Amino acid sequence: MAVDPLIELHDVNKHFGPLHVLRDINLTVGRGEVVVVIGPSGSGKSTLCRAINRLETVESGTILLEGEPLPAEGKDLARLRADVGMVFQAFNLFAHKTVLANISLAQIKVRGRKREEADQRSRELLDRVGLADQAAKFPAQLSGGQQQRVAIARALAMDPKALLFDEPTSALDPEMINEVLEVMQQLARDGMTMVVVTHEMGFARSAANRVVFMADGRIVEDRTPEQFFTAPESDRAKDFLSKILKH
């Protein structure tokens, strides 16, 4: 078990209409852990990720952050989303704001920083994700890989306790995927707590402390990458791996 639990899900259930997308989910993510969530499409991975910062509500069960239940609404919810940053498949940057303004905005609005302080932090983070020279540009002037790195910098700007990644590379051209994964690898090495929904098995193998394999709304396996990739226990995981590792 994780020594210092940061995120805990206990018996979490969620339906979309008749579809039972999360079934009795129990998961603990320790501080500094990288947990990669994989599985076939429609297995509930993204819903699980979105439930952790209340972009999706759950019907039953509890989700705790540092031992406290997730807040339902208002200022506390905004704070939760700052504490548990999210990086989406589709970047979600403001098209009419510069790269710098995209990263500074929530620091000013949610964290209450002064603009100079926020901008300075934004520039440090742009440097960290390899985009120091792009601050004055607008998102449309950047490649997809660059936009996703800006989105990561924006999440980091809030000094989050954890970062959630919902298929951060699936909208990218193959040559851009590595530049995003490299930033994520570095975050993992720096000790950032991360929950990553991805199809990138190389990243799962190299960066994850644990691989969580989901199918049909359930967690089927939760093991080290070494155990999971070399000796999956369930037929579902064996079947999944045989399909993807052939390519």
Side-chain angles (χ1 to χ4, degrees):
M1 254 333 250
V3 195
D4 183 6
L6 182 66
I7 299 164
E8 298 167 82
L9 289 82
H10 299 290
D11 302 319
V12 167
N13 282 275
K14 167 85 179 171
H15 288 78
F16 289 128
L19 206 62
H20 198 168
V21 285
L22 295 178
R23 299 170 183 252
D24 303 318
I25 296 286
N26 289 289
L27 177 67
T28 300
V29 180
R31 201 177 294 277
E33 255 193 322
V34 178
V35 175
V36 171
V37 185
I38 63 174
S41 288
S43 55
K45 311 181 297 287
S46 287
T47 308
L48 170 73
C49 197
R50 292 167 68 87
I52 295 173
N53 74 347
R54 269 194 76 93
L55 285 169
E56 297 286 356
T57 54
V58 299
E59 282 136 33
S60 64
T62 49
I63 302 177
L64 306 175
L65 179 68
E66 294 184 316
E68 296 286 320
L70 300 189
E73 54 199 22
K75 275 212 163 76
D76 291 339
L77 184 56
R79 197 170 302 121
L80 164 78
R81 296 211 176 119
D83 285 342
V84 183
M86 183 112 179
V87 178
F88 302 88
Q89 188 175 332
F91 327 137
N92 291 11
L93 300 173
F94 293 111
H96 61 287
K97 290 191 183 302
T98 63
V99 164
L100 189 72
N102 263 286
I103 303 173
S104 293
L105 185 69
Q107 296 181 64
I108 296 163
K109 284 217 185 328
V110 180
R111 290 289 191 223
R113 291 180 188 153
K114 294 195 165 62
R115 177 169 298 280
E116 297 73 43
E117 185 193 349
D119 284 351
Q120 186 184 342
R121 176 85 177 122
S122 298
R123 288 182 196 282
E124 285 163 14
L125 288 165
L126 279 171
D127 189 41
R128 187 168 168 187
V129 299
L131 295 171
D133 53 348
Q134 305 293 323
K137 290 196 174 162
F138 288 89
Q141 296 172 282
L142 304 184
S143 71
Q146 290 172 320
Q147 289 186 59
Q148 192 58 292
R149 286 185 283 154
V150 172
I152 294 172
R154 178 181 58 183
L156 288 172
M158 307 304 282
D159 302 315
K161 293 167 180 164
L163 278 182
L164 311 174
F165 292 85
D166 188 9
E167 302 200 8
T169 57
S170 59
L172 299 177
D173 294 335
E175 71 270 17
M176 294 173 193
I177 290 175
N178 281 343
E179 67 190 51
V180 173
L181 291 179
E182 272 167 27
V183 170
M184 293 168 63
Q185 294 265 18
Q186 188 57 54
L187 291 175
R189 286 193 290 270
D190 294 344
M192 172 61 74
T193 308
M194 294 159 63
V195 177
V196 183
V197 175
T198 186
H199 297 291
E200 296 297 326
M201 296 303 137
F203 177 81
R205 281 193 159 171
S206 62
N209 300 102
R210 285 159 50 210
V211 171
V212 168
F213 174 74
M214 289 184 73
D216 305 319
R218 295 182 196 282
I219 291 178
V220 182
E221 302 201 22
D222 178 350
R223 305 166 70 211
T224 67
E226 180 63 21
Q227 293 167 329
F228 178 77
F229 286 108
T230 52
E233 286 173 342
S234 61
D235 290 338
R236 286 304 303 264
K238 285 175 190 160
D239 180 51
F240 177 76
L241 286 172
S242 73
K243 287 189 177 118
I244 55 161
L245 296 178
K246 275 180 190 147
H247 301 304

